[in-house]
Amino acid sequence: MKQYMLSVHHESPAEVATISDEDMQRMFQQVDAFNEEVRQAGAWVFAGGLEGIESATVVDARGGAAVITDGPFAETKEYLGGFWVITAADLDEALEWARKGSAACEGRVEVRPFQGEA
Amino acid sequence: MGADAARGIEQVFRAEHGRLVAGLIRRFGDIDLAEESLGDALVAALQTWPEQGRPPNPGAWLATTAANRAIDRLRRESTRDARHSEAFAMTVNRPDPLLEAGALTEQDGAVTDDRLRLIFTCCHPALAPDARIALTLRLLGGLTAAEIARAFLVPEPTMAQRLTRAKRKIRTAGIPFRVPRAADLPGRIDGVLAVLYLIFNEGYLATVSGAPVEQDPGRDASARDDSGRDESPRDESPRDGSLRDDLCAEAIRLTRVLRTLLPDEPEVTGLLALMLLIRARRPARLRDGVLVPLDEQDRRRWDRAGIGEGHDLVRACLHRNRPGPYQIQAAINAVHTDAATPADTDWAQIVALYDQLRAVHPSPVVELNRAVAVAELDGPAVGLALVEPLALAGYPAWHVTRADLLRRLDQRDEAAAAYDRAIALTGNPAERAFLRRRRAGIDGGAGVGT
């Protein structure tokens, strides 16, 4: 079995801000149902949605002393919203989970394998 | 050893390549190992067959030899990551849905399944389109990286890297070596057909600019022949020219293989018919390096065998009554090839077929080609009214169609301007030469220099 990260990216903070409470509720319910399906199938490793980028802090200790900065890591508007870590026999299985996850959270999902074997 | 003997052995090798490499991949779970050990087997064949004679079953001989070489390599390469190979092998050896369903016997299944698995692996949607084409030609077609590079007019190192990256992605992302499950099969088959059609188009249209050929089913079914062999200086060597046609032949061959592996999929038959009918007209498409449009072609130069087979396949599809885009396009081509002269063309049936096509595969290009047929029935003014609103300003064939209709309506200045636009957008010299000739035939309007 291999492990894959299924990550959800948002186009921009503005995109998320314009989602109505109603739509948000619907997505939460869909994701909850999806998560349950992943757990039932025994494919669940870990998952979670991330707080918004306003809550982010960047730490850079490459030069020795740690530099701490308010804000997200990326310069771009696009940012990571949340992710699932699953086990799957092969990419086709991971892609099938990603299909369902993408429909549930109504966002694009990137599928990347972890290095090494599970 | 004589050149003939070597060539003969290489022909056998090419013909068996797909089957052999697929079997090795299934057994050893590693594409590189499969390719390398198959290469070893070829060397062995070139060494021993000329003296000892060709074995009664060359395929079996090569399979056994390659497998032995693979085992040798595995033993020698003790640093090879055995866990990693094993992990891939686990992916490979999972129960196969087709085998379990009894659709293929264990005996036949072992041979048939492997090529089918390989074709779906090579055409996996997780691979970039360029990668799918390269991998399909390399593993199923048995072409070398150098041959594929020449056919697609890219440097050999570029093509070699493309193949390496594709194989690496298969390994690291865990693309499985299997036939997709039933629910995914229709979409995945479409993907395979698209790759085969891309290969065919590359060999047939041979764009000079290297820009990707627009993959729209409507385009190639148009009444207008788009282009023929690429006559640019780079392709003057007969080897390159024939290699481009070799791509057509290879696409047709692979589609035939796919048809034996998926006999119940009518779109596979449809694509085969479409390719055969298009290619059958090739001998009449060029004269002195200038494109000859369909209505001016010498139909005696058409390949009658190809047309005959294409028509038989189209009839078979009609009986299945599960229409799809490739089948409909093939039927459109069949109406053309059925006509003894341009005047005998059943344009009403062509329009009816385009009506079918736009229902299953709507696109501006399909609308464009339909408008060409409508113009034949209802006159150029009606056709032009359908063409004008289409959002195809970047598409050369749109300008060519407009130019032709305007010319027939005697709107000379507009026709001249449209021909100029088409010439500017067209990369193929044979087609350009044809357009310039049409442009020169219009009185009035200052033209772009010939």
Side-chain angles (χ1 to χ4, degrees), chain B residues 259 269 273 276-277 304-319 334:
Chain B
R259 189 158 171 259
T269 304
L276 289 170
L277 291 170
R304 285 292 142 194
I307 289 175
E309 190 184 355
H311 286 183
D312 287 341
L313 292 172
V314 167
R315 266 189 291 270
C317 289
L318 287 172
H319 281 135

Side-chain angles (χ1 to χ4, degrees), chain A residues 2 4 90-92 95-96 113, chain B residues 94 124 172-176 181:
Chain A
K2 289 177 72 73
Y4 294 85
D90 53 46
L91 184 64
D92 281 357
L95 290 175
E96 180 57 15
Chain B
R94 287 175 73 224
H124 198 282
T172 54
I175 291 177
R181 54 176 200 158

Side-chain angles (χ1 to χ4, degrees), chain B residues 370-393:
Chain B
R370 180 180 174 278
V372 170
V374 168
E376 295 300 320
L377 277 183
D378 299 334
V382 176
L384 189 62
L386 294 172
V387 168
E388 290 289 15
L390 298 173
L392 291 170

Side-chain angles (χ1 to χ4, degrees), chain B residues 135-157:
Chain B
L135 216 50
T136 300
L137 285 171
R138 171 80 200 101
L139 295 178
L140 282 144
L143 275 69
T144 64
E147 286 169 335
I148 305 170
R150 270 203 304 280
F152 285 82
L153 303 177
V154 302
E156 190 182 334

Side-chain angles (χ1 to χ4, degrees), chain B residues 156-211:
Chain B
E156 190 182 334
T158 305
M159 187 57 70
Q161 199 174 58
R162 190 174 293 173
L163 287 164
T164 302
R165 284 197 184 125
K167 287 184 280 185
R168 192 185 306 140
K169 172 134 195 205
I170 291 175
R171 261 199 321 274
T172 54
I175 291 177
F177 185 69
R178 56 182 294 230
V179 176
R181 54 176 200 158
D184 295 335
L185 214 43
R188 295 289 302 275
I189 290 172
D190 280 348
V192 172
L193 296 178
V195 170
L196 295 175
Y197 197 33
L198 273 168
I199 294 172
F200 179 84
N201 274 312
E202 187 61 35
Y204 193 69
L205 296 174
T207 50
V208 175
S209 61

